[in-house]
């Protein structure tokens, strides 16, 4: 057998052995990473009863997917110097591993932030009667989380650029300063940047909060979502009004729950001059005592105007939130009219005419 053929067989055998060894090493690293993942999350599940924030079910659920990818990837990167592929293949794999590590780390950090958001917001229930503090926390956390996620994505993109030799300077310049972003924003995205800064200002000064009751553009609704660029208002008839966030800094609007969720409401009743006001006032108190919508804080009945043919009576009532107040006002109006119709029908508004000659 020729010497060159023997040398070729030896070289082929060595290359095949090195390739099989490298693949085996990668598979072993992936298995080790998965075992490490199972071990870590086993202890996190066991530690849930201790109330640690990182063992909270909401946090763990967020971290499962990125950790399942990142831990095997880290193990593969650790053993990558011992891989015996060809030089160009090794260089390609190293570059691929770097980009994958940046992506997985970004994914993990974003999941960590979202998990913290879930844990924090779960401790502040918007459904309680006096939910002012909960609305403050929900508004600040939601806006700040969006800002942090955007920053993470920009940094990850810049780091990914630095892995390419030809455009490494671009990536470094993005990391070192915001000059490029400022130039681009100044040329073509001035209004979008203004919206983002308005969103940050809303989060800090809080003229509106999540679940606030507002009147915008003549529409009564509830603040459902606050982003960095727009606000979603859920109107009472289930329509959604999408308003640029700068609107709430530049134009006047009504916020019914700025200081507290409790509200005062009025019910106007028109009656004849012969209406027994004291009896109607006692009936109002009786109606309020029987409905759970009334929070017991305030009530009154006053004659607020004397028109040509009727008196205007204003019933003042209070409730814990806007929904209860609306139901309470409708209930009081219905019961007062029913009371007048049954007990004092002659007290309903009448038109008098003198038919004498």
């Amino acid at each position: 057998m020729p010497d060159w053929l023997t040398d070729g067989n030896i070289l082929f055998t060595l290359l095949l052995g090195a390739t099989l060894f490298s693949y085996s090493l990668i598979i072993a690293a992936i298995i080790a990473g998965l075992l490490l993942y199972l071990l870590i999350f086993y202890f996190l599940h066991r530690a849930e009863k201790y109330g640690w924030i990182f063992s909270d079910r909401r946090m763990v659920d967020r971290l499962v997917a990125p950790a399942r990818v990142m831990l095997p990837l880290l193990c593969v990167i650790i053993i990558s110097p011992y891989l015996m592929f060809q030089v160009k293949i090794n260089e390609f794999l190293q570059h691929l591993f770097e980009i994958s590590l940046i992506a997985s780390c970004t994914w993990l950090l974003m999941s960590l932030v979202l998990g913290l958001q879930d844990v924090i917001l779960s401790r502040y229930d918007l459904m309680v009667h006096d939910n002012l503090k909960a609305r403050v926390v929900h508004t600040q956390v939601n806006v700040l989380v969006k800002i942090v996620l955007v920053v993470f994505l920009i940094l990850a993109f810049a780091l990914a650029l630095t892995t390419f030799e030809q455009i490494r300077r671009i990536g470094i310049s993005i990391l070192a300063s915001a000059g490029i972003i400022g130039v681009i924003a100044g040329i073509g995205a001035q209004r979008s940047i203004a919206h983002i800064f308005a969103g940050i200002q809303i989060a800090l000064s809080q003229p509106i909060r999540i679940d606030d009751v507002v009147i915008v553009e003549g529409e009564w609704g509830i603040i459902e979502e606050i982003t960095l660029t727009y606000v979603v208002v859920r109107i009472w008839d289930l329509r959604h009004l999408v308003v640029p966030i700068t609107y709430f800094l530049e134009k006047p609007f009504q916020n019914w729950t700025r200081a507290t969720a409790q509200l005062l409401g009025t019910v106007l009743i028109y009656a004849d001059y012969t209406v027994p006001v004291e009896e109607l006032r006692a009936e109002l108190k009786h109606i309020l005592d029987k409905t759970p919508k009334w929070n017991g804080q305030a009530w009154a009945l006053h004659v607020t105007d004397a028109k040509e043919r009727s008196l205007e009576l204003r019933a003042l009532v209070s409730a814990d939130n806007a929904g209860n107040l609306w139901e309470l006002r409708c209930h009081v109006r219905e019961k007062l009219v029913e009371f007048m119709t049954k007990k004092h029908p002659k007290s309903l508004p009448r038109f008098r005419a003198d038919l004498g000659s």
Side-chain angles (χ1 to χ4, degrees):
M1 182 179 295
D3 292 340
W4 63 269
L5 187 57
T6 303
D7 294 340
N9 288 336
I10 294 174
L11 181 60
F12 175 77
T13 303
L14 291 174
L15 289 175
L16 180 60
T19 302
L20 292 176
F21 172 78
S22 298
Y23 281 123
S24 301
L25 208 57
I26 292 174
I27 294 172
I30 292 174
I31 294 174
L34 291 175
L35 291 176
L36 181 60
Y37 155 79
L38 293 174
L39 182 64
I40 291 174
F41 279 87
Y42 170 78
F43 284 111
L44 287 178
H45 286 299
R46 293 294 298 271
E48 184 178 358
K49 59 184 178 181
Y50 297 109
W52 298 340
I53 190 169
F54 289 104
S55 63
D56 188 283
R57 173 66 63 178
R58 302 170 189 83
M59 177 68 74
V60 172
D61 289 343
R62 288 283 189 179
L63 297 178
V64 165
R68 189 184 296 152
V69 173
M70 185 176 177
L71 290 175
L73 180 62
L74 281 174
C75 292
V76 171
I77 292 174
I78 291 173
I79 58 93
S80 61
Y82 306 101
L83 298 179
M84 297 182 180
F85 294 114
Q86 295 181 6
V87 175
K88 290 186 177 180
I89 295 178
N90 277 336
E91 291 177 353
F92 171 78
L93 289 177
Q94 290 292 340
H95 191 196
L96 180 62
F97 291 156
E98 289 178 4
I99 295 177
S100 300
L101 183 61
I102 293 171
S104 61
C105 286
T106 305
W107 185 13
L108 183 68
L109 288 174
M110 293 176 68
S111 299
L112 183 65
V113 171
L114 292 173
L116 286 171
Q117 179 189 26
D118 293 340
V119 173
I120 293 172
L121 296 186
S122 67
R123 299 176 181 178
Y124 296 90
D125 188 7
L126 289 173
M127 303 308 294
V128 298
H129 289 310
D130 189 3
N131 62 355
L132 177 60
K133 186 175 182 180
R135 290 187 283 113
V136 171
V137 173
H138 275 255
T139 301
Q140 290 181 335
V141 170
N142 283 327
V143 174
L144 293 177
V145 164
K146 290 181 175 66
I147 295 172
V148 171
L149 295 183
V150 170
V151 171
F152 281 168
L153 288 174
I154 293 175
L155 291 177
F157 177 71
L159 285 172
L161 287 179
T162 61
T163 64
F164 295 90
E165 190 67 31
Q166 299 83 351
I167 54 177
R168 180 171 295 175
R169 293 181 180 178
I170 299 177
I172 294 174
S173 63
I174 294 178
L175 286 175
S177 67
I180 295 177
I181 297 177
V183 172
I184 297 174
I187 295 175
Q190 292 181 0
R191 193 156 186 84
S192 297
I193 297 299
H195 285 170
I196 291 175
F197 280 108
I200 297 173
Q201 186 174 347
I202 289 287
L204 297 177
S205 61
Q206 296 198 341
I208 55 171
R209 306 181 186 93
I210 299 294
D211 210 43
D212 265 350
V213 178
V214 296
I215 295 181
V216 180
E217 296 292 313
E219 298 282 4
W220 184 96
I222 297 174
I223 301 295
E224 185 175 69
E225 182 182 2
I226 300 176
T227 71
L228 293 179
T229 55
Y230 63 88
V231 176
V232 178
V233 182
R234 186 178 74 250
I235 303 174
W236 65 272
D237 58 2
L238 301 184
R239 290 179 295 145
H240 288 81
L241 184 66
V242 181
V243 185
I245 198 163
T246 52
Y247 178 97
F248 295 95
L249 298 176
E250 298 172 354
K251 296 184 179 181
F253 63 96
Q254 295 185 38
N255 188 336
W256 288 14
T257 54
R258 178 70 178 87
T260 176
Q262 297 181 3
L263 295 171
L264 294 176
T266 59
V267 175
L268 296 179
I269 299 291
Y270 295 93
D272 189 72
Y273 274 78
T274 60
V275 63
V277 177
E278 285 298 331
E279 192 172 340
L280 199 63
R281 185 176 288 119
E283 179 62 19
L284 171 62
K285 184 62 166 63
H286 177 69
I287 294 170
L288 293 176
D289 288 336
K290 293 175 62 176
T291 174
K293 302 292 184 182
W294 183 53
N295 63 5
Q297 297 297 316
W299 75 279
L301 180 70
H302 298 104
V303 178
T304 54
D305 199 359
K307 301 181 183 297
E308 294 180 357
R309 298 185 179 89
S310 64
L311 293 178
E312 180 186 81
L313 293 89
R314 187 189 71 176
L316 180 70
V317 295
S318 63
D320 286 327
N321 53 59
N324 285 352
L325 182 64
W326 171 259
E327 296 289 340
L328 180 61
R329 291 172 61 199
C330 293
H331 178 72
V332 167
R333 186 181 297 110
E334 176 186 335
K335 291 300 180 182
L336 286 179
V337 171
E338 181 181 342
F339 173 77
M340 292 174 59
T341 303
K342 290 182 178 180
K343 300 294 184 179
H344 302 282
K346 292 184 179 181
S347 295
L348 296 173
R350 288 187 292 171
F351 178 77
R352 292 180 174 86
D354 187 0
L355 301 178
S357 56

